Amino acid sequence: MTQRMQRLDGQVAVVTGGASGIGGATSRRLAEEGAKVLVTDVDIPSAEANVARIRDAGGTAEVLKVDVGKHENIRNMVHTAVDHWGRLDIVVNNAYSPAHGSEGSALDVTEEEWDVGMGLLVKSIFLATKYAVPEMQKNGGGSIVNIASVHGLLMAPQRLVYETGKSAVIGITKQTATDFGPMGIRINAICPGHIVTERLDEQWTDNPSGLKFFEDQYPLRKVGRPEDIGNAIVFLCSDEASFITGHSLVVDGGLTVQLQEDFGVRQAGYMDRNPDTQLPY
């Protein structure tokens, strides 16, 4: 590991869904900054591979199988981190499986799909906070980062569970930040845009024109990588963000700041075909 000042030296972190994607990159970045990281996931082979990468780079990490849809798993996750390293300073609530009722409107989603989705997206954060806060309080403070989404800010059709859940992540972040700020515990959220994870990288490799279409939707004309979110999380967990709490940091390449009417016109290629047209604004 490169010898430099580490912003999280001596701290202990838990990352849910830490095997790959955003969680994988976040686990590695936290370790690079000196944190001891408990990498939790249901995919143990991938989690073990990620921990091996961390250790090969000189970091400290352990693996724990955690299904965030199960109450006892979340409680055990917090206790395991403390048992391993004697404290808990950081929790990153990232895990979610999109297979659980993320598609459909209120006419399509079943009650069971709703309950499972809300359990994974929202209840898991409530429980992780419930068990992490007392441990962080022993240290005089800590940091929790919840992964929301641009889908918590802007709605897409036929995504009732996901859009509602990610909106609730922003709400629970504000509420818990208000409740636990007096304890020195900062709680923030990240709203990622389109992030090309390992799984999506395979998809876009086979469909480069589809990736180009996504990139063109962004003012920066590029999509994000897991490390972009990991970097933002490290910042929010560091002392550099000591006066930031209850905030939802949008890391989306500018996707949500552009005027949608202009965006639609550009995507349709209308202005390219009609360069003399003046838009009414």
Side-chain angles (χ1 to χ4, degrees):
M1 184 171 291
T2 304
Q3 295 300 312
R4 57 183 175 80
M5 183 178 295
Q6 295 175 308
R7 289 181 282 178
L8 306 175
D9 188 41
Q11 297 192 37
V12 172
V14 170
V15 180
T16 70
S20 60
I22 289 173
T26 297
S27 297
R28 295 190 295 274
R29 286 292 294 117
L30 292 170
E32 288 170 3
E33 293 292 345
K36 300 175 178 68
V37 185
L38 183 63
V39 177
T40 78
D41 210 293
V42 293
D43 181 356
I44 294 304
S46 295
E48 289 175 339
N50 197 33
V51 165
R53 289 182 63 178
I54 291 171
R55 291 172 176 168
D56 287 346
T60 301
E62 297 290 342
V63 174
L64 181 68
K65 184 173 184 178
V66 172
D67 179 347
V68 297
K70 297 179 179 178
H71 187 139
E72 289 302 319
N73 278 207
I74 295 176
R75 178 162 55 188
N76 182 57
M77 172 183 79
V78 170
H79 292 166
T80 298
V82 175
D83 288 344
H84 271 314
W85 296 302
R87 59 186 294 144
L88 180 62
D89 304 277
I90 296 166
V91 172
V92 179
N93 288 307
N94 165 72
Y96 175 67
S97 171
H100 292 283
S102 60
E103 302 294 333
S105 72
L107 301 180
D108 310 305
V109 172
T110 66
E111 184 177 358
E112 180 183 6
E113 288 172 336
W114 173 269
D115 289 343
V116 170
M118 290 301 108
L120 292 171
L121 284 164
V122 186
K123 185 178 179 180
S124 63
I125 292 177
F126 149 61
L127 291 173
T129 304
K130 182 181 187 68
Y131 292 114
V133 163
E135 297 299 333
M136 292 178 174
Q137 190 177 11
K138 295 174 185 178
N139 309 327
S143 178
I144 297 173
V145 179
N146 302 319
I147 303 302
S149 173
V150 292
H151 288 266
L153 302 170
L154 302 171
M155 303 296 103
Q158 301 295 315
R159 299 293 299 276
L160 174 70
V161 174
Y162 192 75
E163 316 301 87
T164 303
K166 289 302 187 182
S167 298
V169 171
I170 295 171
I172 197 172
T173 297
K174 292 178 180 179
Q175 180 62 55
T176 52
T178 301
D179 290 338
F180 303 120
M183 300 177 184
I185 298 170
R186 297 183 300 104
I187 304 177
N188 293 289
I190 298 279
C191 296
H194 187 74
I195 305 299
V196 179
T197 62
E198 295 91 334
R199 177 177 58 84
L200 288 176
D201 203 23
E202 295 177 5
Q203 171 185 318
W204 293 134
T205 297
D206 296 332
N207 183 15
S209 62
L211 177 59
K212 181 64 164 57
F213 177 79
F214 266 92
E215 290 175 333
D216 284 347
Q217 296 179 51
Y218 288 76
L220 290 179
R221 300 299 190 269
K222 66 177 183 177
V223 294
R225 297 285 171 175
E227 290 74 17
D228 294 318
I229 308 304
N231 290 336
I233 290 170
V234 165
F235 165 69
L236 287 176
C237 293
S238 74
D239 287 342
E240 295 167 10
S242 63
F243 200 49
I244 301 174
T245 195
H247 180 65
S248 295
L249 178 61
V250 181
V251 185
D252 72 344
L255 179 69
T256 56
V257 301
Q258 61 193 333
L259 185 66
Q260 296 304 300
E261 183 180 22
D262 180 64
F263 164 69
V265 169
R266 179 170 59 78
Q267 281 297 101
Y270 180 82
M271 294 301 291
D272 292 336
R273 296 191 301 272
N274 302 273
D276 295 329
T277 300
Q278 296 294 314
L279 295 178
Y281 49 79

